[in-house]
Amino acid sequence: MAGSSGARLTGVTLDILAGGITALVGPSGSGKSTLLRLCNRLEAATSGSVAYRGRPLSEIDPLSLRRQVGMVFQRPVLFAGTVRDNLEEANGGATTAQFDEALQRAALDGSFLDRLAAELSGGEAQRVCLARALLAGPDVLLMDEPTSSLDGAAESRLERLGRGLADGGMPIVWVTHDLQQMNRISDRVAVLLEGSLRFTGSADQLTDDPGLVRLLEGDDGSR
C-alpha cells in the first residue's frame, strides 16, 4: 500500500479494533499520518486496498465516508467567523440544541457558539474541531497527534474526552509520538517503522521489545 503524496507504506496489513483506542506510533516520517489519511480518503492508495467494515473505500462516496469516519487534525483549523459558523459547516441543518450537545461532548458549553474562532485558545480551538467532527455523527474517529500543540492541562482534557468517547462505544485511532501518552490512552498499539508495520499488541507487550522501544523513545516528534 502506498499513499499518493505522503510516506510510502509497504506490506502493511492492519485491522482496526471495533472498540477502544488504537494508538498508532512510530518515528517521524514512518507513515503514521499517511495511514490515517488513507483511512478516510484524504489520500488515495496507489497500490493495495483499504476497506471500511469489509467494503473497499473506492466504492464509498468520500463525503459519505468522512461522515462515518471523522478526523481531528494535529493543528486545529477553524474557519473565519463564530464557533456556530464552524459547526454549521459540519451540519448546517442541526439545531442549536444539537450544537450545544456537540460542544458539551467536547467539554465546552453553549456560550461558545457566539465566540469568534480567532479568539479561542489552542485547547478551545481543538475541542471545537472535535465538536465539529462529532456533529457529523461519525462511527469512528481518527485523531492525528491532536494534543501536540497543547499545554499539559489541555492535553489531559482531550485525552479524557477521547477515553470517554471510546468507552462510550466509538472506536478511535490516535496517532502519537509520545510513549507516555500511548501508555495512558491505548487499548492496542500499532508501530510503524519506515513505512512497515513492526508491531501490534498492547502497550505492555511492546515493552518486551526493548530495542523497538529505544527506537521510539529516540523520536523527538518533529515532522
Side-chain angles (χ1 to χ4, degrees):
M1 177 194 304
S4 58
S5 60
R8 182 176 180 83
L9 301 175
T10 305
V12 173
T13 300
L14 177 64
D15 293 325
I16 301 299
L17 295 179
I21 297 177
T22 298
L24 186 59
V25 299
S28 298
S30 60
K32 305 185 299 297
S33 293
T34 297
L35 181 57
L36 209 64
R37 291 169 67 85
L38 285 167
C39 289
N40 71 347
R41 293 189 66 181
L42 289 174
E43 289 199 33
T46 57
S47 62
S49 63
V50 185
Y52 175 59
R53 294 182 171 175
R55 187 180 176 191
L57 296 196
S58 58
E59 297 179 2
I60 305 175
D61 174 74
L63 292 179
S64 173
L65 175 68
R66 290 166 195 160
R67 289 190 175 278
Q68 298 174 71
V69 182
M71 188 161 178
V72 177
F73 296 91
Q74 180 180 12
R75 293 180 177 82
V77 178
L78 294 175
F79 305 108
T82 65
V83 169
R84 181 189 295 272
D85 293 332
N86 275 268
L87 297 183
E88 286 177 345
E89 289 291 331
N91 187 347
T95 64
T96 295
Q98 289 172 314
F99 288 152
D100 286 345
E101 180 183 2
L103 289 172
Q104 288 169 8
R105 292 180 74 189
L108 297 172
D109 60 58
S111 67
F112 276 81
L113 281 173
D114 295 322
R115 292 272 300 274
L116 291 175
E119 296 177 353
L120 301 177
S121 70
E124 290 168 346
Q126 192 64 291
R127 279 178 278 156
V128 170
C129 288
L130 176 59
R132 188 172 62 191
L134 293 175
L135 195 59
D139 299 316
V140 180
L141 195 60
L142 310 175
M143 303 185 78
D144 191 1
E145 299 200 50
T147 64
S148 63
S149 59
L150 304 184
D151 61 26
E155 177 182 51
S156 295
R157 181 171 291 180
L158 200 62
E159 287 178 0
R160 291 195 298 272
L161 291 172
R163 184 71 264 168
L165 290 169
D167 291 345
M170 180 178 292
I172 294 176
V173 183
W174 189 308
V175 169
T176 181
H177 67 268
D178 184 340
L179 295 192
Q180 292 182 347
Q181 182 175 76
M182 176 197 77
N183 286 322
R184 290 192 299 267
I185 66 170
S186 68
D187 298 294
R188 188 190 191 205
V189 175
V191 175
L192 283 174
L193 284 178
E194 297 180 343
S196 296
L197 186 66
R198 283 284 301 272
F199 170 87
T200 56
S202 69
D204 288 340
Q205 290 170 330
L206 179 58
T207 62
D208 293 335
D209 190 335
L212 184 54
V213 171
R214 282 195 296 271
L215 282 173
L216 297 174
E217 288 175 337
D219 180 38
D220 65 1
S222 61
R223 299 179 69 81

